[in-house]
Amino acid sequence: MRRAITLGMVAALAVAGAATPAQARTSSCAIQPYGLIGEYWQTMGGEGGVFGCPASTEKGIANSNARRQTFANGQIAWSPDQGGRMIVAAYGKDGRAYVRWGPSNPFNYDYFEILVRSTHIANGTYTRRDGLRVRGTASFHGPGGHFTFRVRGCDDKPLGDVCRQGWTVSVSADA
């Protein structure tokens, strides 16, 4: 027997399937990440991974659609201007600072530039050409140093390179 789904049933199903911070996958951390940042944190090992537990709640970034959350060992940000599911993340491990980004879909690039500000190494812009047109990772040696990263994708053009979507929001970590 086929049953009709009423508007009330649709509303009940929608509410039951909607994730809120309180319903997100739980850990022993006092603050529970959620949304894209929470998903990324889980894929990186959750509380037992490189980021550890959240040190703050997720916050919006002024004058942008982006959001960022600070963890015990770094930061994870959602930077939608560079792709609807673009995550940029920084963490410290074993005397190095790591930055990871992606996916930048629907955008893809010939290369990525990483803007690095640090208390340990020379500040500058580093280029990453590895053929991974929508994501990447880089690491920097810096025992005791604090690092802040921003990333942008660029395309090679005959009259000068173009980086249309601009820089991601910044993320920081201690090496």
Side-chain angles (χ1 to χ4, degrees):
M1 175 177 160
R2 297 176 77 186
R3 293 179 17 179
I5 297 176
T6 66
L7 189 53
M9 289 175 166
V10 171
L13 290 171
V15 169
T20 64
Q23 294 172 321
R25 185 183 282 175
T26 59
S27 69
S28 63
C29 299
I31 300 168
Q32 297 298 312
Y34 60 94
L36 289 176
I37 290 174
E39 286 177 22
Y40 185 83
W41 176 73
Q42 285 291 341
T43 66
M44 295 296 290
E47 67 185 295
V50 293
F51 290 98
C53 284
S56 71
T57 58
E58 184 178 308
K59 294 178 175 57
I61 307 297
N63 303 315
S64 78
N65 296 315
R67 298 186 65 77
R68 179 173 45 224
Q69 188 165 7
T70 300
F71 293 80
N73 300 318
Q75 292 183 320
I76 303 172
W78 172 54
S79 194
D81 292 342
Q82 289 73 34
R85 294 184 60 86
M86 173 64 109
I87 293 288
V88 59
Y91 62 92
K93 181 180 178 188
D94 299 330
R96 298 188 76 76
Y98 294 83
V99 60
R100 296 171 53 108
W101 62 91
S104 62
N105 302 355
F107 311 113
N108 67 78
Y109 304 101
D110 294 328
Y111 66 94
F112 289 94
E113 290 183 338
I114 307 154
L115 180 64
V116 181
R117 298 286 177 254
S118 172
T119 58
H120 187 73
I121 65 169
N123 296 327
T125 303
Y126 299 83
T127 300
R128 185 77 178 192
R129 290 181 180 270
D130 55 14
L132 300 176
R133 301 179 57 86
V134 297
R135 69 181 68 246
T137 187
S139 69
F140 297 85
H141 181 58
H146 181 77
F147 290 79
T148 300
F149 302 103
R150 296 179 83 184
V151 179
R152 70 178 177 178
C154 302
D155 291 311
D156 295 319
K157 298 292 181 188
L159 299 177
D161 293 356
V162 177
C163 309
R164 287 190 177 93
Q165 281 67 49
W167 294 101
T168 64
V169 297
S170 65
V171 289
S172 297
D174 293 325

